[in-house]
Each structure stands twice: as C-alpha cells, then as structure tokens.
Amino acid sequence: MILSTPDIVQRENQVFHQVTVESPKGSSFLWYSVEEPFGGLLSHSCDAALVGLLIPAMACGEDIHIRGAVSERLLYNLSGPCQSVLRYVMPRLRPIRVTADTLSPSLTPRPAGVATGFSGGIDSYCVLADNLGADTLPGFRITHLLFNNVGSHGKDNERMFHARFEHLAPSARRLGLPFVKVDSNLGSFFGNGLGFTKTHTFRNASVALLLQGGIGRYLYASAFNYQNVFVGLAREIAYTDSISLPLLSTDTLDAFSAGSEYTRVEKTVRVADFAESYGTLDVCINSHQRGTVTNCSACPKCLRTLATLDIAGLLERYSAVFDLEAYRRQKNVYFAELLAIRNPFHREIIAFARRRGYPLPIASRILHLLRFPSLSRFFGQISETFTGPPTTTGSSGSSVHNPYQSN
Ligand SMILES: [Zn+2]
C-alpha cells in the first residue's frame, strides 16, 4: 500500500484532505472533510492516513510506504509496538513494514487546541464535566468538540451522521465551543471482521491527527476503568485505549484516554452534575436500529443509566431524554435481574444502592428468590397490567447485557 502526500482542496463549503491509496487491489482515495471555517486545522502530513489505514493494511498483510511526510514518533510506534497491541486484540492481523520518504518536523510549541469527541454519551459528558470547569488546567481545557463520520453511524450512516450532529449542535453552541464535523470515507476501508468496536480508537485518532494544524491535545473518552484495562483478545479495542493512544501521539499531538479513574456508576453521577447533559444525554443502543436520536428507556444501557440515576436520587433531571414512566414499570424486573445476573456492572449498581441506603424493591427481591428470569418477566408483565400499558419500543433486553459495554 502506497500513500501519497495529502492534497488539501476546497469544494464549495467543504475543505478536503485527500490521499491517494495504491494497493494490489487498485487505486483509491482516502478523504476527510471539514466545513470551510475549520479548514485551517487540516494537517499536511500523512499521519492521519497512516493511523487510519494501518489496521486494513495489516488485515491484508500489505506493507505501507508513505510518499510524503510522517511523524518520526508515529513511524517508530506504528512500525512495532502498535502492531503488537493490535495483534493481541485481533490475532488475524499480520505484521507489516511501514516506511516513509520524509519525516515531518514537529510544531513547537504544540498547537493550543484541545479536542475531544462529543457523542452525548456518559463517557463523553464525563470528559466535558472534568475539563471545562474554572479549575481546569489551561493546557487541558477543551477548546474544540469533534463529531466524526468514521463508521459509527450504522447502516443508515450518512443520514444518522447528519441527524446526530444536528441534535448535538445546540448543546455545543450553549457550551460556547466550536463543533467540528469531520466527514470521511475511512470506514469503507474496513472489511469483514474489522468492525467499529474492534477498531474505533484508530479510526478516531486518525481524525485527531488530521487536525494537527490547530489541535495539540486529544482527550479520548475512556470506556473502562483502569482495573479493566488490558491488551488481549477482546470484543472491544477500548480495553487498550490507555496503552494504545499514547502510541498514536506525535510530537505535535498528545493523545490519551481520559476518565479511566472512574467506575461506570461514578461517571454517571459525575455527569449528572453537568447541566448541559439533561436535555441531550444519549446512551441508547437501540437508537441506531430505530434511526432516531432518542433513548428507548428499555435497552440494557438505558436501564443501567436510569437505575444509577434513580439510586442517586437524580432521575427527574433526565425526564426530557428518558421515558421515566416506562422505566418505573420495568424497575422491579430490572432490579431482580441486577441481583440475579452478577456481572461487574450489575454488582457495581447493587453495591452503590447499598452504600446509598437505597431500598431495593420488595418485588425485585421476591423475583430474584424465584431464580427464574422467564418467570420474572411474566411477573413483570402482570405488574405492567396493573400500572398501565408499555409505551416504549425495544425489549427490556437485560439478558443480552454485555458486562463491559460502554456508553
Ligand atoms: Zn435504549
């Protein structure tokens, strides 16, 4: 795989960073684009393309040569250490050689911009809660919010990318931060077995490197507590973030994972102090399938968040983004499942309830003692007939809980 020097070109109100990709499969273009006011952020180096295409190249066993400039530090780390991390996560990847014609000079001092992705989820809001306050150190205070189209928006990708951006844009305006919408065809280079959850760290880091013209620090919202960080076979690459992001840094861009000092419950409570989240918090795993930007209030991540807020006494703050009545109808069954299915997130919520002196519903205890989840659902349906009809879509879904799934 041979990567050209990027062309920076403007078409209408979009500025493109475009790289020619020559491979045994043929010639193609990798492009990223931003709206014209943010064109000055685009880097002229090949760093973004190199990080973006490393995994697809390793999947094909194709060496990469860069006919242009690339960061020396990045070239060093992507030639060996980074590939090792990736092969522990995805053993099918093959080691490749990475070479370049030129090493790019580092910008000194580092650009002043501090960026983080803004998705409206718990992890994302936690980074904002921690890095926008008056006491934030100046070099870590968020100056730019990013919204990327690198393959996370599902089958209806293009429509959802724009819809989600428009949903969050008013929030960014209220926060007084520029909201950089980064479109790209990077996702089209990732084939079977290279799904978003396995590869998102590299896809999103490539965007941060794209913006090295003005961004010198990149805070990537962590999904996991430090106790869960590891490098090995896993469904999600996020377990490696604390290790892999520093390897994706350059002398111009400092990239790292932010928020791993918190547990999931601690993050949720932290976010509930951040008022901007009350009208836009988005934790739902069903919204993609339904093609909406609202929380279903029934999927495992919605219920996990609602139960935590309920125990903390903060549920009403989120009445605009959740159907609280639907939650209350499911609550007895959900708490019974929290007691019965002892994964780490469930244990954490139950421990939080005990610390807070929150009384677990009697009905949940009885359902739990019955030890039959299907019977629990039956009782839950009976309970619903006495409290009103269900109004939400999607299943209660707790039985398909991925214990380590992030928000
Ligand atoms: Zn949901």
Side-chain angles (χ1 to χ4, degrees):
M1 188 179 283
I2 297 172
L3 310 183
S4 72
T5 300
D7 286 324
I8 310 288
V9 292
Q10 181 163 353
R11 294 185 202 114
E12 298 179 351
N13 67 338
Q14 295 283 307
V15 184
F16 287 78
H17 167 114
Q18 185 171 292
V19 171
T20 306
V21 182
E22 294 172 32
S23 92
K25 295 175 185 169
S27 182
S28 57
F29 293 102
L30 166 64
W31 59 264
Y32 304 81
S33 73
V34 296
E35 290 163 327
E36 193 272 334
F38 300 114
L41 297 176
L42 295 182
S43 165
H44 290 263
S45 84
C46 281
D47 295 351
L50 173 58
V51 167
L53 295 176
L54 181 71
I55 293 173
M58 291 178 70
C60 300
E62 289 184 34
D63 294 340
I64 296 178
H65 179 70
I66 297 156
R67 283 195 189 131
V70 70
S71 151
E72 183 178 27
R73 181 171 161 187
L74 200 59
L75 185 61
Y76 179 84
N77 283 325
L78 266 61
S79 294
C82 242
Q83 292 190 33
S84 173
V85 170
L86 286 170
R87 293 182 69 224
Y88 280 121
V89 179
M90 293 173 276
R92 59 170 280 211
L93 299 183
R94 288 179 266 171
I96 61 171
R97 282 190 77 217
V98 182
T99 53
D101 283 346
T102 322
L103 300 177
S104 53
S106 56
L107 296 181
T108 309
R110 193 168 37 217
V114 180
T116 190
F118 183 38
S119 67
I122 291 284
D123 298 324
S124 174
Y125 267 124
C126 189
V127 172
L128 296 184
D130 275 358
N131 296 282
L132 275 180
D135 57 348
T136 304
L137 292 170
F140 290 81
R141 187 178 174 81
I142 303 294
T143 63
H144 292 73
L145 300 175
L146 309 183
F147 193 79
N148 304 337
N149 183 14
V150 288
S152 64
H153 301 289
K155 288 179 181 170
D156 196 6
N157 183 65
E158 204 60 30
R159 188 182 73 80
M160 284 305 291
F161 169 56
H162 296 295
R164 286 178 173 260
F165 177 85
E166 293 304 327
H167 179 66
L168 291 168
S171 203
R173 278 197 292 275
R174 284 191 294 271
L175 291 168
L177 293 173
F179 196 19
V180 187
K181 188 180 186 184
V182 184
D183 202 357
S184 176
N185 69 339
L186 178 63
S188 67
F189 287 83
F190 286 74
N192 290 338
L194 304 177
F196 193 75
T197 55
K198 281 254 184 189
T199 56
H200 60 78
T201 309
F202 283 64
R203 299 186 196 211
N204 285 312
S206 82
V207 171
L209 292 161
L210 172 79
L211 305 177
Q212 287 180 103
I215 301 298
R217 185 158 274 147
Y218 178 51
L219 281 65
Y220 194 59
S222 71
F224 301 112
N225 181 266
Y226 280 123
Q227 286 189 314
N228 300 120
V229 170
F230 80 103
V231 175
L233 196 59
R235 284 181 56 187
E236 296 189 41
I237 197 169
Y239 290 105
T240 74
D241 282 357
S242 293
I243 293 153
S244 56
L245 281 157
L247 297 175
L248 301 177
S249 296
T250 67
D251 292 326
T252 302
L253 180 89
D254 173 28
F256 61 92
S257 177
S260 284
E261 64 269 41
Y262 298 107
T263 65
R264 178 65 37 194
V265 163
E266 288 168 346
K267 267 190 185 176
T268 306
V269 173
R270 177 82 178 101
V271 167
D273 277 337
F274 194 70
E276 189 52 49
S277 68
Y278 302 161
T280 48
L281 183 68
D282 174 9
V283 302
C284 187
I285 59 175
N286 282 336
S287 57
H288 282 285
Q289 295 161 14
R290 297 184 305 149
T292 70
V293 290
T294 55
N295 296 289
C296 75
S297 307
C299 73
K301 287 168 80 172
C302 281
L303 287 171
R304 184 174 79 196
T305 305
L306 285 160
T308 303
L309 293 168
D310 188 4
I311 293 165
L314 303 170
L315 200 55
E316 297 298 331
R317 291 184 184 179
Y318 290 91
S319 58
V321 290
F322 288 109
D323 182 342
L324 300 187
E325 285 309 308
Y327 162 69
R328 290 186 177 110
R329 283 194 297 275
Q330 300 167 84
K331 179 174 162 179
N332 289 347
V333 174
Y334 183 63
F335 272 87
E337 291 187 3
L338 288 179
L339 288 164
I341 304 170
R342 304 306 296 259
N343 70 44
F345 284 155
H346 287 189
R347 276 198 290 269
E348 194 189 335
I349 293 171
I350 294 298
F352 181 52
R354 291 191 171 129
R355 280 201 308 279
R356 294 266 310 168
Y358 178 89
L360 296 178
I362 301 283
S364 303
R365 293 174 183 276
I366 294 170
L367 290 170
H368 168 54
L369 289 173
L370 292 172
R371 294 182 187 280
F372 291 109
S374 57
L375 205 54
S376 297
R377 291 187 181 285
F378 173 69
F379 275 100
Q381 285 165 8
I382 288 178
S383 169
E384 281 175 356
T385 64
F386 287 100
T387 55
T391 58
T392 57
T393 57
S395 69
S396 59
S398 298
S399 60
V400 294
H401 229 154
N402 170 6
Y404 298 112
Q405 204 162 31
S406 56
N407 277 338

